[in-house]
């Protein structure tokens, strides 16, 4: 298994059908208990909305480099308009939805304080699709089938995947030899007959086949029962901290594979199953075996659970893990798009994000002090590093002394730094516009008039902070002394 699989996913189109939801997060702080009842009083700070359910599978496919046609049912309400309009557009998802009058769009409202959910409000009522709506969905699939390389059925038991529709979708897929990945919720697993892969989790196994997957032997029994009862080709059982158990007909006859988890730290398991399904579908679409695809999905899940909230996994993150980069060596080093998602998540939780930038070629005490003081001014600090090409344009052909990989690793090791990302341009202006930090932080050798991006930050309501510098340190002077033989540099 290697990172070359991810490179193949660019432009691969997946048809995702299932229960589309709106996820809403209301962030605030709790400082007292209500005098009216023994409940916390949440003081509102911010709100965030994003796609959930089947649409979160679609978000992950896009983040991993694929393309999506997302199909589902929405209410004829404001939440449905938001999903069908702004949200799918900002996530670059093509969406087609049947709309139900006098019916709510499935919405999960989570109330969060201090990074912890204190309550969830569900606004939902099962859909009951009539024959006309089922026909419309099948027509959309038939029209797109020639451009689709995989199908995902994301079933959250909200009524969008009745047996009659599943049967017709599977028939269309089989006629065109398109793999079908099913994330099941219905205890009647026979409705998924004919699918390529079923991806239940441990708790679903307990409900659907009556087996608590407390060890490998029980998990092996469960996947065999799933395969026989559901009449599917393969089963990938996700078991949280215990990894995965895989039944793959392409392996040795009757063989079951157990794969340990790759997660080094777990912050939040929200949406990890959607990440597995997305990676699994893309890998199968590109010709991977079920076992290889599941291992790739397992690696993606390990990244997903290390993030807070319903976060997606980006192609570059997964490529790094599959390519052998140890996440423990540089867990903070990410690409620009991943940085944007992480910063958005921090800001949605009410955290103030600061950004500082520079070459940081030879890290010295002046840099360390700048970073400490920058971090003291915000809740999370992002460091934007000039790429090697950018440094050469600014400093000359003999720079940088350390390449961008080395500089990133060193910067990520600094306790004051929460995230590191590179930019190719001479200035970080584009990146500032992408991340929209609350604070743009530079050393006091700058003025407000000379800080690149100051106008942009002020325009959206941010602030520029100039922090005092530790005098007597500079990379240029260190290199000059070393060149003159007056200073040892290893």
């Amino acid at each position: 298994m290697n990172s070359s699989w991810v490179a193949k996913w660019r432009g691969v189109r997946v048809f995702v059908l299932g229960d589309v939801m709106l996820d809403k997060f209301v962030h605030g702080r709790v400082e007292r208990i209500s005098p009216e009842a023994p409940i916390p009083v949440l003081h509102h700070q911010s709100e965030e909305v994003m796609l959930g359910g089947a649409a979160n599978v679609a978000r992950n496919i896009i983040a991993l480099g694929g393309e999506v046609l997302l199909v589902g049912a929405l209410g004829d309400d404001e939440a449905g308009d938001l999903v069908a309009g702004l949200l799918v557009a900002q996530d670059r998802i093509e969406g087609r939805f049947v709309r139900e009058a006098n019916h709510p769009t499935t919405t999960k409202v989570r109330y969060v304080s201090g990074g912890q959910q204190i309550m969830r409000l569900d606004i939902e009522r099962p859909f009951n699709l009539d024959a006309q709506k089922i026909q419309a969905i099948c027509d959309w699939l038939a029209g797109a089938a020639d451009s689709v390389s995989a199908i995902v059925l994301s079933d959250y038991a909200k009524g969008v995947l009745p047996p009659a529709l599943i049967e017709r979708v599977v028939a269309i897929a089989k006629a065109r030899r398109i793999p079908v990945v099913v994330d099941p919720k219905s205890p009647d697993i026979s409705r998924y007959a004919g699918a390529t892969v079923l991806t239940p989790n441990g708790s679903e196994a307990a409900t659907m086949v009556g087996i608590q997957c407390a060890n490998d032997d029980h998990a092996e029994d469960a996947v065999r029962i799933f395969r026989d009862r559901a009449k599917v080709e393969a089963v990938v059982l996700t078991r949280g901290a215990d990894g995965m158990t895989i039944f793959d007909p392409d392996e040795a006859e009757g063989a079951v594979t157990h794969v340990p988890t790759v997660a080094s730290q777990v912050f939040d398991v929200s949406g990890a199953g959607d990440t597995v399904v997305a990676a699994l579908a893309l890998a199968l679409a590109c010709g991977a075996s079920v076992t290889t695809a599941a291992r790739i999905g397992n690696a993606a899940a390990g990244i997903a659970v290390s993030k807070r909230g319903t976060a997606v996994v980006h192609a570059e993150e997964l490529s790094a893990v599959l390519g052998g980069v140890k996440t423990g060596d540089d867990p903070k080093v990410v690409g620009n798009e991943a940085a944007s998602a992480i910063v958005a998540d921090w800001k949605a939780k009410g955290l103030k994000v600061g950004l500082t930038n520079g070459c940081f070629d030879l890290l010295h005490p002046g840099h360390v002090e700048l970073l400490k003081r920058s971090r003291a001014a915000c809740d999370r600090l992002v460091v934007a590093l000039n790429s090697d090409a950018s440094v050469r344009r600014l400093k000359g052909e003999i720079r940088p002394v350390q390449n961008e990989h080395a500089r990133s690793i060193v910067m990520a090791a600094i306790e004051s730094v929460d995230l590191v990302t590179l930019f190719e341009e001479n200035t970080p202006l584009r990146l500032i516009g992408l991340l929209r930090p609350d604070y743009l932080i530079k050393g006091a050798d700058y003025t407000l008039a000379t800080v690149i991006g100051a106008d942009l930050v002020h325009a959206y309501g941010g602030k520029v902070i100039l922090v005092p510098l530790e005098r007597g340190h500079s990379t240029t002077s260190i290199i000059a002394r070393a060149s003159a033989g007056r200073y040892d540099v290893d």
Side-chain angles (χ1 to χ4, degrees):
M1 184 177 67
N2 58 58
S3 59
S4 65
W5 281 109
V6 181
K8 298 176 183 178
W9 297 350
R10 180 64 59 185
V12 171
R13 196 176 192 214
V14 181
F15 184 94
V16 177
L17 169 62
D19 296 298
V20 175
M21 304 179 194
L22 176 65
D23 281 347
K24 182 176 181 179
F25 295 83
V26 179
H27 299 277
R29 66 182 187 277
V30 173
E31 296 178 344
R32 64 190 180 98
I33 300 299
S34 171
E36 302 167 1
I39 55 173
V41 176
L42 183 69
H43 293 269
H44 181 275
Q45 290 179 314
S46 64
E47 296 184 9
E48 177 187 21
V49 291
M50 64 180 64
L51 297 172
N56 191 48
V57 177
R59 290 178 67 225
N60 273 275
I61 290 170
I62 294 292
L64 289 168
E67 297 179 358
V68 172
L69 174 55
L70 172 65
V71 174
L74 301 171
D76 190 13
D77 56 6
E78 185 176 340
D81 292 341
L82 181 61
V83 170
L86 176 64
L87 292 184
V88 295
Q90 73 181 20
D91 282 316
R92 296 176 286 119
I93 294 169
E94 180 186 354
R96 298 181 190 174
F97 307 101
V98 295
R99 305 292 293 265
E100 190 77 30
N102 302 315
H103 195 290
T105 295
T106 303
T107 304
K108 311 289 185 182
V109 186
R110 297 168 176 89
Y111 296 87
V112 182
S113 176
Q116 300 295 321
Q117 289 189 37
I118 59 175
M119 191 184 85
R120 192 180 88 179
L121 171 68
D122 289 1
I123 304 170
E124 62 180 41
R125 193 167 74 241
F127 286 91
N128 184 17
L129 302 186
D130 59 27
Q132 184 177 4
K133 289 184 173 65
I134 289 176
Q135 185 61 50
I137 291 172
C138 291
D139 289 344
W140 288 336
L141 174 56
D146 289 342
S147 65
V148 165
S149 300
I151 295 172
V152 171
L153 301 182
S154 182
D155 190 358
Y156 281 81
K158 308 301 179 187
V160 177
L161 286 168
L165 177 56
I166 295 173
E167 183 178 358
R168 292 181 65 179
V169 169
V170 169
I172 293 171
K174 280 187 171 295
R176 293 168 170 79
R177 297 185 178 180
I178 302 171
V180 179
V181 179
V182 180
D183 188 6
K185 289 295 183 292
S186 172
D188 176 21
I189 57 177
S190 64
R191 67 171 58 197
Y192 307 119
T196 308
V197 188
L198 207 62
T199 63
N201 61 35
S203 62
E204 290 161 355
T207 300
M208 296 175 183
V209 300
I211 294 180
Q212 299 285 344
C213 300
N215 55 49
D216 287 353
D217 289 341
H218 290 167
E220 182 169 339
D221 291 340
V223 295
R224 293 185 187 282
I225 294 172
F226 266 112
R227 189 206 181 221
D228 291 343
R229 289 187 185 174
K231 294 180 173 57
V232 294
E233 295 178 27
V235 178
V236 175
L237 175 64
T238 58
R239 299 168 55 198
D242 294 322
M244 290 180 169
T245 297
I246 307 161
F247 185 100
D248 179 358
D250 292 333
E251 297 293 317
E253 182 64 30
V256 170
T257 304
H258 302 287
V259 180
T261 182
V262 298
S264 58
Q265 53 183 344
V266 177
F267 286 125
D268 196 334
V269 298
S270 302
D274 296 333
T275 303
V276 170
V277 169
L280 186 70
L282 285 166
L284 290 174
C286 293
S289 69
V290 171
T291 299
T292 296
R295 289 181 181 275
I296 294 171
N298 189 48
I303 301 168
V305 298
S306 70
K307 303 182 178 187
R308 297 191 186 277
T310 310
V312 298
V313 172
H314 293 270
E316 58 202 3
E317 296 175 287
L318 183 55
S319 291
V321 171
L322 297 178
V325 176
K326 297 179 181 178
T327 55
D329 289 342
D330 64 340
K332 304 173 185 176
V333 181
V334 299
N336 293 172
E337 293 297 329
S340 177
I342 293 168
V343 168
D345 183 55
W346 286 339
K347 292 174 72 174
K349 291 175 172 58
L351 300 173
K352 296 298 184 182
V353 179
L355 171 72
T356 191
N357 66 279
C359 302
F360 293 99
D361 195 357
L362 294 176
L363 206 63
H364 54 65
H367 288 145
V368 174
E369 188 63 22
L370 169 67
L371 296 169
K372 284 182 180 178
R373 294 184 180 187
S374 297
R375 183 59 169 80
C378 59
D379 298 311
R380 296 288 185 272
L381 178 63
V382 181
V383 176
L385 295 177
N386 293 76
S387 69
D388 289 349
S390 177
V391 175
R392 281 192 293 272
R393 291 193 298 268
L394 295 172
K395 303 288 187 179
E397 287 300 319
I398 66 169
R399 300 282 298 276
V401 175
Q402 298 188 99
N403 65 31
E404 60 192 39
H405 176 73
R407 288 184 288 122
S408 298
I409 296 298
V410 171
M411 185 58 68
I414 301 298
E415 185 178 0
S416 308
V417 176
D418 297 291
L419 202 67
V420 180
T421 193
L422 291 158
F423 62 95
E424 294 290 339
E425 302 85 357
N426 289 354
T427 76
L429 192 60
R430 177 194 60 82
L431 187 59
I432 292 169
L434 178 66
L435 302 186
R436 296 173 68 86
D438 299 289
Y439 306 128
L440 178 58
I441 307 171
K442 296 293 288 185
D445 53 338
Y446 284 83
T447 67
L448 290 179
T450 59
V451 173
I452 300 293
D455 291 345
L456 172 60
V457 173
H458 286 145
Y460 64 70
K463 182 179 179 181
V464 177
I465 298 176
L466 302 179
V467 301
L469 290 176
E470 184 83 7
R471 297 294 178 183
H473 300 283
S474 83
T475 300
T476 301
S477 64
I478 292 172
I479 294 172
R481 291 199 299 272
S483 299
R486 295 164 48 206
Y487 199 89
D488 290 329
V489 178
D490 291 334

